[in-house]
Amino acid sequence: MPNSFLRKHSLLSAGAFLVLAGVVWGIYSQGLTTPFIYDDPTCIKDNPSIVRLWPLVGGPRDPGPLNPPKDLPTSGRPLVNLTLALNYRFGGLNPSGYHAFNVMVHLLATLLLGLIVARILRLDCFEGRFTGVSGPLAFLTTLLWAVHPLNTETVIYVTQRTELMVGLFYLATVYGSLRYWAAETTTGRSSWLIFASLACLAGMACKEVMVSAPVVVLLIERTLVTGSFRQALRRSWPLYAGLLLGWLLLLGLNYKGPRSASAGFHLEVPFYVWWFTQAKVLWLYLKLVVWPWPLRIHYQAPYLETFGAAWPWVLVTATLIIGVVVLLWRRKVVGLVGAWVLLILAPTLIVPIVTEVAAERRMYLPLAGIIALAVAGSYWLLQRLGATASATKRAKEAGRTKLTIITATAVTLALIWSVVDVRRLDAFHDALKLWQDTLYFQPDDGVANNNLGLELLNLGRASEAISPLKKALQFDPNHLEARVNLGTAFMKTGRMQEAMEQFQQVVEADPENAPARCDLGIVLGKLGRHQEAIEQLQMASKIAPSNSLVLNNLGLALVKVERLPDAIEQFRRALEIDPNYFEARLNLGTALGTINRPEEAVQEFKRALKLKPKDARIYFNLAMTYEMLERSDEAIASAQTALELAR
């Protein structure tokens, strides 16, 4: 290949990447201040494994970043959890750094996709059809993929960096394999073999979607490079040996069922019901590729429980699968792209995930293959349609015309989708609006009603939260989280008896639910049933011995029955777990003062002042404690400060 072409292609790639970087950052930088939403608080704020970088693994009581607790979105996905720990280390709980990381991963994935498409279009199997236009077509593919509205959730929803990172490493594995096949030296082949194998291992540590990567790489080589499975395996067996190591890692990360509460064949949804329903969901995904609106943070799709209800969707899906298999066997690119889509979606299409029947992020990687096929296929189709006309023109001019048509269409679509992106990102800025938008399109969504109620609770609008939370339980009486939230709403509005009933139902259904037992104990205490409150809080502390909130509330319950030494012990335990727990520190100081240990009380109040230097309660307690110590001047000064702060 002439050096001038290589220089021209290199410059085109560099310029294209700068344009893509500008477009991606221009759109998604508007979402950098988006607050944490949905699973983010659980995965980030309440994730003890990301608060420190060392030890990397740790133990059950102090898990490290490579050992996330069970049933989090990052459980069994240690590499993603490690990146959250890095965000936490350098930015705390400021969402901007988390979002910036996501945007950068999306941008790197976009670059890799462009390199892959450009390299594939120059393969010998295409017989030069895309010679001279592989770079522009690759750029248009990546532009459309980068701004497609279906990807907005994946990029801006922090927890979904699981999908972003597995997408990045999946594409890196494919790119490394392409370079391995093209390498002309032993050193080159060895380098790209290591690159692809490490990328595959990294992807397995991000999400289970990566399980299909070795198979997809084999299908690419068989379809586009060698023409047969036997030749592909004979030619590239070291590559496949390296990629298959990833399956061992994936098995090791998942054999204990790190997310067994939400995914697996052991849950209440029969496998055939899930498969019937996913036959319909697949077509929802394909519809959103073509017409990406309306988009929702959560999709509520009723289960298709009988073959009679599901057969139309099963029929068209079976036809699609058969068509893909036939085309793949005939080494057609359309069949390869179809296999790419189905194999990447396979884990979620096959394994029941009861928390989400469908999710936009699952189309992140499949969408890349569909758009690449659409762009290159459109150019090929114009070539076929213009074959006769091209005979009367110079071939170069004809090719330029086709490329102009494709470019104009792609840029128009990109502009339209960018407008949709901006509107969609605006919805993510306000969690309340996000769930209200979801309920506008699917008012019977129990999850959306629960999350709307939770957001109203967080905003201090407890009375408004009661209605959507009741609706959530109407649609799903077994939704324990909604029942806890409803109990909280009742508690905050002074309806203690109703709150107690909700928490009791949760505890009966899930006896190991420590937060629900804690809430039940608090309500029982407010109803004057102090001994019952202590019993519930003691059981909660046995279930969750490292939960400082439970220990603090147990201490308060013990204070009510004047068991002050026992209460002090609980407050101290809470502070051993979280030395910055202000309420526990304040409660400890108050209890020490009550049992006539004023010197110790003063020390605790001073420590509390370092946490909240403008809290009037501390100065009020200090004033009384100094009075006990007959330090009148300090008592007067503390009382004056308390009055000033209380104004």
Side-chain angles (χ1 to χ4, degrees), residues 16-34 87 95-108 110-111 142-143 145-148 155-156 161 164 418 421-422 425 429:
F17 179 66
L18 290 175
V19 171
L20 287 169
V23 170
V24 170
W25 189 257
I27 292 172
Y28 283 104
S29 61
Q30 301 175 62
L32 295 183
T33 57
T34 300
N87 274 132
S96 298
Y98 297 82
H99 290 302
F101 182 92
N102 278 24
V103 174
M104 293 307 298
V105 173
H106 180 52
L107 184 57
L108 289 174
T110 300
L111 171 63
T142 52
L143 174 65
W145 185 64
V147 303
H148 196 290
V155 179
I156 211 62
R161 71 171 54 172
L164 283 173
S418 296
D421 289 342
V422 171
L425 291 173
H429 276 284

Side-chain angles (χ1 to χ4, degrees), residues 306-324:
T306 65
F307 184 75
W311 75 265
W313 302 105
V314 172
L315 179 62
V316 294
T317 301
T319 303
L320 174 65
I321 293 172
I322 292 170
V324 166

